[in-house]
């Protein structure tokens, strides 16, 4: 009987009522809206104001340099905002394939987005299900639902003419099929019950919309510091302008010079390098991590890597290969492990040959693919040798016969081979075994299942005469058992051990059965693998109970997608910094909610990759460890760089404000000088700290606490002492220079001492655990590039007439310059003394 389906008019009405079978597009911000949000940041407002003031005073070059920062930060933010909108787009593409549908008795091919409730869709092997439906007619239909459940083994579907509601994904014998899943065997006709956002994949999309990732701690802390210094800079700038003008006669020229001094002081105090440091470190960090085959999609994840305390990992496709493999062969008298490369005994190969004959020649089913692979080259030879054979009859899998059986007849017509494989209970019941043998085989089946293996039984027979219509009438002889597994990735145990050494707890969250989960957990080396919490138990727990149990449980089994998200949030509620790996659609909400979402690049879905912060390009679990090491290194180096920034702003601010407080002093630093320091030296110096190698004990430390701040009062006080040392050296040079030189010459010598002191602060801050000699012996190519280029620019500023005119310098003599530079180096002694005291304090604790 040919199905009729809906007529076109009714389908069009329902499409207008329910909407298309696609996820609703997310409202996106326009470019101007994003730019306006960025410009409202206080740091950028001050940069814009400073640039406009420079422009008003005729300093076009200085204005351009400051305003460049505005457009760089705006560009980065706009790009990141655009990337976050790709997640739902990937879901929409996956959930909207073409569909074959019956409309008014006519079979047609239409876009899946046009499907509506009540449509009858045709399901065929190798195609994706276009909408959540109930199977009305089916012939041996099996569906791979791993995108929704994490299970790598397809589930058989049973047709139902009475079902009116959808069941949950997962489990054999159900009538429901779900959008985005793959038909691996059989065919059928299904009635659509849910489309678009009402489907299972649509609910996941809704969960993705609701999950809003928080700003990272480093972003919040840096934003707070920038705001604080911005307010301080604005206040002092106003005071300096007024104080300078009132103490110098209050004429127009005094107000202009006061305004110049105020701008210079505001620039000296405002740490505009902080967002530049974050941009450079995170961008270059992403590049360095990519060399370990890890793609960074969201920069804050790099910072969070160093603080990760828990790594939540899916089993299928993450810890395992997501590929079924024949692991064990069990015969009556022996068990053979197929993990070795040795040639198999003849009776084992005979069993595999029989299992190949009981499989389709070009199978979609993963277990049949594994059987062909286990037969290796001989499987192909076997199929080739049977090209002249004819497939006499096929007995398909059904609820009454949980086995797949094929009958082959030889070319002469005088030989018939029956090959059957299927559920052990079906095969063993049919082979008429005596009680002792049956009990022994049942124990072997149970032992294989406890090892986390899928078990198939294989039987053979010879048909004489006419073949029966029912497989139960065949005469079969039991041959053996096949144990299949989704094998562990070879490098997983080592990677798990390294995570544990680094203080990172590994938690496995899977939709698989508890016994299988425990087996994989033991192989991977997870601590406490025997304590398993199932999804059913989790559903009955309150959030408080879950938060308590989750402190010790490291294996979660039979977990639904929304429960994975709940586990992640429970860990975060306990103060954990959570990294979550996954590859399926079902992992996307948890990937987005985690502090660090890590998707698999090869086997991962587009949805998982778009929701994650990091993507493992080679699906290598060990790459996570390398990424964590790199994340810790990057955070350490950011701390060193920001310490340097705060230290160098002290002498710059001091030399800017002293002439205001001391009326007899000329302005020592003009805006052009500070532009030179901040736009040449400071960004270049971030390259030194970014390329600094990690400390030797970086992976033996526990993760840093979530509450640990990048800028503490103790670190700021040390930076203040460093800066005061450099300021003192510069003041000494200025006082000495004024004895025999004019104001412009004194300014030039003071500027040279300042540049040298800043270079000294850079070098000694590369490490707080090594002396200055140890630092110089540790390779850092960027250091010598920065030092040499800065020395070149300083030389040009001191010797070239146009540069001297721009910087307001007078010609200098070489001995004066050398003395000035040597005095600038004196600040190294202060810093080294602080290091010694700091090391003694740590030793005494």
């Amino acid at each position: 009987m040919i199905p009729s389906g809906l007529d076109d008019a009714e389908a069009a009405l329902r499409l207008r009522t329910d909407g298309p079978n696609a996820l609703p597009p997310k409202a996106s911000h326009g470019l101007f809206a994003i730019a306006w949000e960025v410009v409202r940041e206080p740091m950028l407002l001050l940069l814009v104001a400073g640039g406009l003031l420079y422009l008003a005073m005729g300093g076009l070059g200085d204005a351009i340099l400051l305003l460049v920062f505005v457009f760089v930060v705006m560009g980065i933010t706009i790009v990141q905002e655009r990337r976050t909108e790709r997640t739902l787009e990937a879901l929409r593409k996956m959930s909207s394939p073409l569909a074959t549908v019956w409309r008014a008795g006519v079979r047609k091919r239409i876009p899946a987005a046009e499907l509506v409730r009540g449509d009858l869709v045709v399901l065929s092997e190798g195609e994706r299900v276009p909408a959540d439906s109930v199977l009305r007619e089916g012939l041996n239909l099996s569906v791979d639902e791993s995108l929704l459940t994490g299970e790598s083994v397809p589930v058989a579907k049973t047709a139902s003419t009475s079902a009116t509601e959808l069941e949950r994904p997962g489990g054999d014998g159900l009538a429901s099929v779900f959008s985005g899943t793959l038909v691996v065997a059989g065919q059928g006709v299904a009635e659509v019950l849910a489309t678009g956002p009402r489907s299972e994949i649509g609910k996941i999309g809704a969960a993705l919309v609701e999950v809003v990732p928080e700003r990272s701690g480093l972003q919040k802390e840096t934003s707070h510091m920038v705001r604080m210094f911005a307010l301080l800079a604005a206040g002092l700038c106003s005071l300096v302008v007024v104080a300078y003008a009132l103490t110098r006669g209050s004429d127009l020229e005094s107000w202009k010079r006061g305004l110049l001094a105020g701008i210079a002081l505001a620039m000296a105090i405002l740490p505009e390098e902080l967002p530049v440091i974050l941009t450079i470190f995170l961008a270059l960090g992403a590049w360095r991590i990519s060399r370990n085959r890890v793609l960074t999609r969201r920069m804050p994840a790099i910072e969070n890597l160093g603080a990760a305390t828990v790594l939540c990992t899916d089993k299928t496709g993450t810890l395992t290969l997501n590929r079924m493999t024949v692991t064990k062969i069990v015969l009556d008298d022996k068990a053979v492990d197929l993990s070795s490369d040795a040639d198999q005994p003849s009776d084992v190969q005979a069993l595999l040959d029989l299992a190949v004959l009981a499989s389709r020649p070009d199978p979609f089913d993963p277990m049949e693919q594994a059987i062909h692979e286990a037969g290796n080259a001989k499987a192909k030879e076997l199929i080739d040798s049977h090209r002249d054979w004819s497939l006499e009859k096929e007995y398909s899998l059904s609820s009454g016969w949980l086995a797949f059986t094929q009958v082959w007849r030889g070319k002469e017509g005088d030989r018939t081979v029956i090959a059957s494989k299927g559920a052990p209970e079906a095969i063993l019941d049919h082979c008429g075994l005596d009680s002792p043998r049956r009990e022994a085989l049942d124990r072997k089946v149970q032992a294989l299942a406890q090892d986390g293996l899928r078990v198939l039984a294989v039987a053979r027979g010879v048909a004489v005469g006419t073949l029966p219509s029912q497989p139960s009438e065949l005469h079969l002889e039991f041959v053996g058992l096949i144990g299949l597994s989704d094998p562990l990735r070879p490098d997983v145990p080592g990677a798990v051990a390294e995570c544990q050494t680094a203080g990172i707890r590994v938690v496995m969250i899977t939709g698989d059965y508890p016994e299988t989960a425990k087996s994989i957990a033991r192989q991977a080396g997870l601590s406490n693998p025997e304590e398993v919490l199932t999804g059913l138990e989790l559903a009955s727990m309150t959030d408080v109970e879950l938060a308590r149990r989750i402190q010790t449980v490291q294996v979660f089994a039979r977990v639904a997608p929304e429960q994975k998200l709940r586990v992640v949030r429970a860990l975060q509620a306990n103060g954990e910094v959570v990294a979550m790996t996954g590859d399926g659609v079902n992992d996307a909400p948890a990937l987005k909610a985690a502090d660090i979402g890590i998707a698999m690049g090869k086997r991962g879905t587009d949805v998982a990759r778009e929701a994650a912060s990091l993507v493992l390009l080679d699906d290598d679990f060990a790459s996570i460890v390398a990424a964590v090491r790199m994340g810790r290194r990057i955070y350490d180096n950011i701390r060193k760089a920001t310490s340097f920034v705060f230290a160098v702003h002290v002498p710059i601010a001091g030399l800017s404000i002293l002439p205001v407080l001391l009326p007899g002093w000329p302005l020592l630093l003009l805006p052009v000088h500070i532009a030179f320091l901040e736009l040449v030296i400071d960004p270049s110096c971030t390259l030194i700290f970014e390329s600094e190698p990690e400390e030797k004990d970086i992976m033996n430390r526990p993760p840093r606490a979530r509450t640990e701040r990048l800028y503490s009062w103790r670190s700021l006080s040390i930076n203040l002492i460093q800066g005061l040392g450099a300021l003192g050296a510069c003041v000494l040079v200025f006082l000495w220079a004024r004895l025999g030189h004019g104001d412009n010459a004194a300014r030039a010598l003071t500027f040279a001492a300042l540049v040298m002191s800043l270079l000294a602060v850079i070098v000694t801050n590369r490490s707080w655990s090594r002396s200055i000699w140890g630092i110089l012996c540790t390779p850092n190519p960027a250091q010598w590039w920065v030092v040499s280029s800065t020395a070149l620019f300083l030389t040009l500023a001191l010797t070239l007439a146009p540069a001297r005119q721009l910087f307001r310098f007078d010609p200098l003599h070489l001995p004066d310059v050398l003395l000035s530079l040597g005095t600038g180096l004196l600040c190294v002694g202060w810093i080294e003394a602080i290091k010694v005291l700091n090391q003694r304090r740590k030793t005494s604790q």
Side-chain angles (χ1 to χ4, degrees), residues 365-377:
D365 185 273
M367 288 191 287
E368 290 192 345
Q369 290 176 346
I371 290 171
H372 275 254
E373 184 177 347
N376 206 356

Side-chain angles (χ1 to χ4, degrees), residues 799-812:
T799 57
L800 292 181
R804 288 202 306 267
Q805 184 178 0
L806 177 64
F807 281 84
R808 312 304 195 268
F809 291 163
D810 280 347
L812 299 174

Side-chain angles (χ1 to χ4, degrees), residues 319-321 485-493 519-525:
L319 294 177
T320 67
L321 294 171
S485 68
D486 185 2
L488 193 74
R489 293 180 179 274
D491 50 7
V492 163
S519 174
I520 293 296
R522 285 192 295 266
Q523 296 175 48

Side-chain angles (χ1 to χ4, degrees), residues 43 46-47 50 54 62 65-67 69 229 233 262-277 280 644-654 656 669-687 751 754-755 758 762 786 790 807:
M43 183 272 298
L46 283 174
L47 289 176
Y54 273 121
D62 294 333
L65 287 174
L66 280 181
L67 293 176
F69 280 113
F229 277 93
I263 293 174
L265 180 61
M267 291 179 62
I269 294 176
L270 181 64
E272 67 268 25
E273 301 92 349
L274 293 184
V276 178
I277 287 174
I280 292 175
F644 161 74
V645 167
F646 286 122
V648 300
H649 272 274
V650 173
I652 296 174
S656 299
L669 293 181
L670 302 175
V672 67
H673 301 138
I674 299 175
F676 173 86
L677 293 170
E678 296 185 347
L679 300 178
V680 178
I681 297 179
D682 293 350
S684 299
C685 292
T686 59
L687 299 178
F751 185 75
L754 176 60
V755 172
L758 298 189
I762 292 171
V786 169
T790 302
F807 281 84

Side-chain angles (χ1 to χ4, degrees), residues 331 334 336 338 342-351 378:
L331 305 173
K334 62 182 174 183
V336 179
L338 296 188
D343 292 337
Q344 306 304 333
S346 58
D347 48 0
V348 171
Q349 189 61 52
L351 183 145
K378 293 185 179 179

Side-chain angles (χ1 to χ4, degrees), residues 46-103:
L46 283 174
L47 289 176
V48 171
L52 293 177
L53 285 172
Y54 273 121
L55 197 60
M57 297 174 65
L60 180 60
D62 294 333
I64 292 175
L65 287 174
L66 280 181
L67 293 176
V68 161
F69 280 113
V70 177
F71 293 106
V72 169
V73 176
M74 286 174 57
I76 293 171
T77 305
I78 291 170
V79 169
Q80 290 298 92
E81 178 72 18
R82 290 298 190 189
R83 284 183 176 180
T84 59
E85 296 176 359
R86 296 177 185 170
T87 301
L88 289 179
E89 181 62 28
L91 268 174
R92 285 193 292 272
K93 289 179 180 179
M94 179 173 288
S95 61
S96 297
L98 293 175
T100 302
V101 61
W102 286 98
R103 290 269 178 92

